[in-house]
Structures are given as C-alpha cells and as structure tokens.
Amino acid sequence: MHFISGLPRSGSTLLAALLRQNPRCEAGMSGPLAGLFGALLGEMSARNEFSVFIDDAKRQRILHGLFDNFYADCDAEVIFDTNRAWCAWMPAIVQLFPAAKVIACVRDLPWVIDSIERIIQRNVFSPSSIFNYTAGGTVYTRANGVAAQNGMVGAPFDALKQACYGAQRDRLLLVQYETLTTDPAKTMHAIYAFLGEPPFEHDFDHIDYDVTEFDDRAGTPGLHTVGGTVKAQPRDTLLPPDLFHRFVHDAFWRDPRNIPDGLRVV
C-alpha cells in the first residue's frame, strides 16, 4: 500500500494514469478513503460515549480494515490511494502500513492558482464545486479562497510542509510537476527506485484515463482530464502580475537551504 498526495493541479492524476499502465499497479484520481479515515477517527474519539470500549489496538484494526475492504476486489500487487489529505496523516500511515511510501506531487503555487482559474474561466456557464457552485467573484476572491488555510490549495500546502519537516519525511518523495512533464522517464525511474519496485517501460505518448462524469457532476469539466501525451505546455498566466508574484516564493522545495535531511525531491 502506497499513497499519492501533495498539491492540487500538480500532476497526481497524470501520475496515476501512468502508474495504471503497469499491470502490477492500481492508481486513480483522489478517492474517498481519506475522508472515511478521518470520519472513523472522529466517531471513535471521546465525543462518542461508547469510545470507552475502543482502545488504540481496536482503532488500528478498524482503520486497517477500511483499506482492506475498500480494495478487496483489487487484484493489483501494488495499490496507490490518492488524496491531498494523506500528507497530514503521515504518522498514522506509518503505523498502519510500515512499508508504505507517500508520493507528493508539487508545483509552483502561482501556476497551481492559475490552473484552477483557467478551469473556472473556461467553464463560465457551469459554477464549480470548488467554490460551492457560487457564480461571480473575481480572480482575486477566487485566489484568496483557494489559498486560505482551509482552502483547496492552502490546506494541502500546509499538510505538505508538515510532512516535509516531520519525522516521517524519509517515507516521502516530492515529485515536481515540471520534472514529470519535461522528463517523465527520469521521474518514473526515480519513483520506482524510491518504492523499491522493478522499473517499467511506460508509454508516454498514449495516456488513457477518463473521469469525465465525475468532473461534469462537480461543475468542473476538464478538472481531471489527462492529455494523450506527457509534455510540458508553456503558456502565459491568467493571473494579474501582483497576484502571480504573491505566491512566487512559496516553492520551498526549490531552495536547497529549505530541504531537510532525508527529504527526496525529483
């Protein structure tokens, strides 16, 4: 059991689509397990009057069983569960799955914000679940919303920093979107080496992963669309200069002085 986490709009769906090419692997877009995990922990806490009958050993068995049952019909030898919340659960992951590793997809924050804004402006007649299906607003209100501490970008960013500087950072590999899209072969080789898995020859020109129905229901067509070929696509930003530069220095993983011992970045 391994995990894919990190920042939104940073290549996690593309990475999952590539891993799915390997017959040994099962991977996909963000799923429900992290939410169920948190809900179960809450229900087994002291706020439940019957929690006196639940000790940590029972909690651990119940939470492990959540994964066992969710993937009971999966024949893959290596399973990757994807959710941006997993970086916040690193201590629990290590206890539940001592051999598990976490791959965190990262990207320069201005381009994460830009990518979200691009989807919103492309689907002007379809209010998005990202903003609770609320129409209107400006690029500034939307950027402030997703970058907030509990926002779509802000919360995973804080969880990422916690994981990077935490005691379990030796279980973590940061995969930069820029590296994945410009040199996918190097990136996948690094991932397999990190996991201790045998290398696999991927087809970077024919990527197939379609979750159109999910994206349409969320009011964000194209949110998880993966292009047929892995390649970098340079473009101008939609963000005003002052907004773009607000986030330009947040990529702490690019500064060797900010990378703690034991943390790997590709």
Side-chain angles (χ1 to χ4, degrees):
M1 191 81 211
H2 299 300
F3 299 85
I4 299 174
S5 192
L7 303 177
R9 312 303 300 159
S10 299
S12 61
T13 306
L14 172 60
L15 176 58
L18 286 169
L19 288 167
R20 289 165 65 92
Q21 291 182 347
N22 187 336
R24 285 176 50 82
C25 299
E26 170 64 25
M29 60 167 281
S30 291
L33 272 182
L36 293 170
F37 187 89
L40 270 174
L41 271 177
E43 287 304 315
M44 292 188 292
S45 71
R47 79 181 184 198
N48 182 336
E49 62 179 312
F50 298 109
S51 64
V52 66
F53 302 113
I54 309 175
D55 59 18
D56 277 353
K58 286 187 174 68
R59 291 186 181 96
Q60 188 162 338
R61 290 197 300 270
I62 289 169
L63 291 168
H64 202 292
L66 175 66
F67 292 87
D68 293 340
N69 287 285
F70 188 84
Y71 286 109
D73 57 353
C74 178
D75 296 327
E77 298 176 64
V78 185
I79 295 172
F80 297 85
D81 191 84
T82 303
N83 197 285
R84 291 189 294 273
W86 288 130
C87 276
W89 293 115
M90 291 284 288
I93 286 173
V94 169
Q95 290 196 49
L96 283 175
F97 303 100
K101 303 288 183 67
V102 179
I103 301 167
C105 296
V106 298
R107 186 181 190 178
D108 285 352
L109 253 64
W111 291 107
V112 173
I113 306 291
D114 173 271
S115 183
I116 295 170
E117 181 63 22
R118 192 169 295 272
I119 289 175
I120 299 303
Q121 292 193 23
R122 187 169 64 230
N123 300 303
V124 291
F125 300 119
S126 181
S128 170
S129 62
I130 296 173
F131 302 102
N132 296 317
Y133 302 100
T134 300
T138 69
V139 63
Y140 289 93
T141 57
R142 288 188 289 272
N144 289 334
V146 297
Q149 199 165 33
N150 62 346
M152 177 182 176
V153 178
F157 184 61
D158 286 349
L160 173 70
K161 287 186 288 185
Q162 173 182 299
C164 288
Y165 294 102
Q168 300 80 26
R169 60 180 177 268
D170 61 319
R171 307 294 187 90
L172 185 67
L173 173 68
L174 268 57
V175 173
Q176 299 178 90
Y177 179 83
E178 298 79 7
T179 310
L180 178 61
T181 53
T182 58
D183 197 344
K186 170 189 172 182
T187 304
M188 298 308 295
H189 180 79
I191 289 172
Y192 286 125
F194 172 66
L195 299 175
E197 284 290 315
F200 179 81
E201 292 298 321
H202 289 274
D203 185 350
F204 300 115
D205 294 320
H206 300 89
I207 311 298
D208 181 25
Y209 186 64
D210 184 10
V211 286
T212 303
E213 182 180 354
F214 178 92
D215 289 353
D216 289 347
R217 178 183 290 186
T220 50
L223 182 63
H224 294 97
T225 297
V226 175
T229 302
V230 182
K231 61 181 180 180
Q233 297 179 320
R235 64 171 186 257
D236 293 330
T237 181
L238 294 178
L239 305 184
D242 60 326
L243 188 56
F244 186 92
H245 290 292
R246 185 191 304 176
F247 304 101
V248 79
H249 297 298
D250 287 334
F252 62 90
W253 57 87
R254 287 187 176 274
D255 187 347
R257 296 170 298 178
N258 290 328
I259 300 176
D261 292 340
L263 178 64
R264 283 164 278 196
V265 182
V266 61

